[in-house]
Amino acid sequence: MTEKLLQYLWNYKIFKYFDFKDIEGNSVEIIQFGTWNKDAGPDFLNAKIKINGLVLVGNIELHVRTSDWIFHNHSQDPNYQNIILHVVFQHDTDINVLIEKKVPTLELKNYIDENILGKYDSLINGKQFIACENIFSKEKVPVNFHEGNILKKLEEKSLELEESLILYKNNFEAVLFHSLAYSFGLKVNSHIFRQIAESIDYSIINKIRQNTLQLEALLFGISGWLDHPEDGQTKIWKREFEFIRAKFNISDLKFRPKFLRLRPPNFPTVRLSQLANLYQQQNLFSKIMDAESVDELYDIFKSVKASEYWDCHFNFGVISKVQPKTLSKDFIDLLILNSILPLKYTYHKYHSEEIADKIITFYRNISAEKNSIIQGWKNLGIPITNAMESQSLIYHHKNSCDEKNCLTCSIGFKLLKES
């Protein structure tokens, strides 16, 4: 038993029966169980009980053992002066201050189904893909489970974006550039690409974006790749970078992307060139924010490719088989899911009541990802047909399953509550 589990059982009234008696044998009627307090102070506020014909209104404190009252120094804390009931899993000692104030103590040990305790123990100590794997059933997934997860994810991402907007003086275009750079960097270089993007005042990007050669040179130069030119084209980029650095007083600070464990199509050289090519488009931000369908977003990205030099290179000075470096559909999906939809939601949410439904429709019209987490859910019998479902399950696995937050999980709630 943990205090967190005890609070959970009390909040959701999960007991075998409710004819409660305190440790003195007096009947205790719980008229109102109170409001679960997740902050400092008593665990449940504004409760109401009836004992010995008296109705008492106040707060309730829960502990695993009665003696925890002493260990937590509640007697000296003024926040605990209005306690009307001390609820414990196991009564192990008398508390003089509570006896003097005639505060009853209720022991719950015999009111809780041992099956629930066993289930909770198996959840917390489980080593499977998800803690409840042995008792999981796809029928326990609640209605609108995926929609709820997507909205929580969007809100969390929106708060991050709003912090960036404050930092960059509400410049949505700058924040879009930083977010896209992060996504183009993939897992290995995401943070480095964002550092590169944020190290350049967006007004400079805006001034040179129509000249892909210069934008590439700027990104390559800040990456530290132009110090020792490998061929004629690299010398041209170096010349352009030195011109831009002098003209705009660019810092000498370098951020060096990584190549280790990356397939050649994902090399940072290729991805930064593609990012530069994307920003050659006119009115990019408006096109993205105004797009009403996934197809319209695909139209923005499907023509993006690395510059001609990269048709026969993956790295500077090393010739490879000729292959235009375009964006795959899977990569475009990743950009839309990780960068575009969260920013569209943030941009529209304060003046469009329908934006949440519209964004969820976007998710439904994008293919589901393929990775080990998605495969794990599929192995449990969960059908996954689109990105709304896959993104929801990835989010849930990260925030609930990995953290063993079974008591705040809507699936865990159903599994624990059933006998």
Side-chain angles (χ1 to χ4, degrees):
M1 174 59 68
T2 66
E3 194 167 302
K4 188 176 181 181
L5 176 58
L6 195 64
Q7 293 170 356
Y8 175 88
L9 297 174
W10 183 264
N11 185 66
Y12 292 106
K13 308 169 185 62
I14 306 176
F15 302 108
K16 292 189 291 186
Y17 39 83
F18 293 84
D19 56 338
F20 297 120
K21 294 183 185 297
D22 69 6
I23 58 173
E24 302 294 333
N26 301 306
S27 294
V28 180
E29 180 185 353
I30 310 299
I31 301 171
Q32 294 177 5
F33 281 71
T35 302
W36 196 351
N37 174 32
K38 303 294 181 69
D39 298 317
D43 295 319
F44 287 84
L45 308 177
N46 304 315
K48 184 186 291 187
I49 69 171
K50 185 176 181 180
I51 183 169
N52 294 329
L54 292 175
V55 174
L56 305 175
V57 177
N59 304 324
I60 296 175
E61 178 67 4
L62 279 70
H63 288 122
V64 176
R65 288 171 292 275
T66 319
S67 55
D68 289 339
W69 177 279
I70 300 171
F71 297 142
H72 295 170
N73 293 315
H74 289 330
S75 296
Q76 287 75 42
D77 191 333
N79 290 315
Y80 293 85
Q81 298 306 305
N82 192 27
I83 297 296
I84 60 171
L85 181 64
H86 189 207
V87 177
V88 301
F89 176 71
Q90 183 176 1
H91 177 60
D92 63 346
T93 189
D94 292 331
I95 308 296
N96 291 333
V97 68
L98 296 180
I99 294 173
E100 291 169 5
K101 292 183 177 181
K102 297 183 179 179
V103 176
T105 296
L106 172 61
E107 184 183 57
L108 289 178
K109 182 170 59 175
N110 295 324
Y111 295 91
I112 297 173
D113 189 344
E114 290 185 2
N115 182 45
I116 291 177
L117 302 183
K119 280 185 180 180
Y120 180 70
D121 183 68
S122 67
L123 293 180
I124 296 304
N125 297 310
K127 305 296 183 184
Q128 305 95 332
F129 166 67
I130 57 174
C132 62
E133 186 168 320
N134 291 338
I135 56 175
F136 179 83
S137 166
K138 65 180 181 181
E139 285 75 25
K140 296 297 182 291
V141 177
V143 176
N144 297 325
F145 174 80
H146 298 307
E147 290 86 346
N149 280 335
I150 293 298
L151 291 176
K152 283 190 284 187
K153 177 177 175 145
L154 283 171
E155 274 302 319
E156 290 175 11
K157 186 64 177 176
S158 183
L159 290 175
E160 293 177 16
L161 290 169
E162 286 173 351
E163 289 179 3
S164 293
L165 286 165
I166 292 171
L167 184 62
Y168 293 98
K169 299 178 180 178
N170 214 38
N171 189 335
F172 271 90
E173 293 198 51
V175 172
L176 173 64
F177 180 63
H178 303 158
S179 181
L180 282 170
Y182 182 88
S183 293
F184 266 88
L186 296 170
K187 190 173 183 179
V188 172
N189 286 308
S190 55
H191 293 288
I192 298 173
F193 273 28
R194 174 175 279 169
Q195 287 177 318
I196 292 171
E198 291 179 346
S199 72
I200 313 163
D201 191 297
Y202 186 72
S203 63
I204 298 172
I205 301 296
N206 231 2
K207 288 173 183 175
I208 68 172
R209 59 186 291 179
Q210 297 304 311
N211 187 330
T212 304
L213 176 69
Q214 288 192 336
L215 185 50
E216 272 187 301
L218 178 58
L219 297 175
F220 293 161
I222 294 175
S223 299
W225 293 329
L226 302 179
D227 296 339
H228 305 288
E230 299 285 344
D231 52 27
Q233 180 60 54
T234 314
K235 290 177 182 177
I236 293 173
W237 278 319
K238 178 178 174 62
R239 182 194 68 206
E240 292 295 327
F241 175 62
E242 289 176 346
F243 169 76
I244 295 167
R245 181 167 58 181
K247 180 177 181 179
F248 296 109
N249 194 27
I250 301 293
S251 167
D252 290 333
L253 198 62
K254 300 288 172 51
F255 303 92
R256 300 183 183 275
K258 303 171 185 177
F259 289 80
L260 191 64
R261 293 190 298 276
L262 284 172
R263 294 173 56 249
N266 288 328
F267 275 6
T269 47
V270 174
R271 291 306 185 193
L272 283 177
S273 178
Q274 291 168 336
L275 178 62
N277 180 262
L278 170 63
Y279 266 80
Q280 192 177 34
Q281 292 192 42
Q282 294 276 5
N283 305 314
L284 178 63
F285 179 80
S286 296
K287 287 179 182 177
I288 288 173
M289 292 303 114
D290 294 341
E292 293 289 337
S293 69
V294 171
D295 286 340
E296 288 182 41
L297 290 177
Y298 284 145
D299 286 340
I300 295 170
F301 291 98
K302 68 183 182 183
S303 62
V304 173
K305 65 183 291 294
S307 59
E308 187 176 352
Y309 177 84
W310 300 106
D311 286 352
C312 55
H313 294 80
F314 287 104
N315 211 334
F316 298 96
V318 181
I319 296 176
S320 63
K321 180 181 177 182
V322 175
Q323 178 187 358
K325 308 303 189 297
T326 57
L327 301 183
S328 68
K329 182 180 179 300
D330 286 346
F331 188 79
I332 295 174
D333 285 346
L334 180 149
L335 296 176
I336 294 173
L337 293 171
N338 291 346
S339 294
I340 304 306
L341 296 185
L343 193 61
K344 278 177 72 70
Y345 176 78
T346 304
Y347 183 74
H348 291 292
K349 74 174 184 177
Y350 292 115
H351 53 267
S352 173
E353 294 181 359
E354 304 84 18
I355 189 59
D357 291 335
K358 287 183 177 179
I359 296 296
I360 285 176
T361 299
F362 274 97
Y363 277 96
R364 286 196 177 105
N365 289 322
I366 297 173
S367 301
E369 297 101 309
K370 297 175 183 178
N371 55 44
S372 59
I373 293 175
I374 296 304
Q375 189 57 50
W377 286 109
K378 285 184 175 181
N379 292 341
L380 293 174
I382 298 289
I384 305 171
T385 59
N386 56 51
M388 181 190 73
E389 295 165 351
S390 61
Q391 286 273 297
S392 159
L393 291 166
I394 292 170
Y395 174 86
H396 190 76
H397 190 269
K398 176 183 177 182
N399 292 279
S400 291
C401 303
D402 276 355
E403 300 298 323
K404 297 292 182 72
N405 289 327
C406 304
L407 297 182
T408 59
C409 168
S410 54
I411 299 173
F413 173 76
K414 287 191 173 186
L415 292 171
L416 279 173
K417 195 169 184 181
E418 70 177 10
S419 60

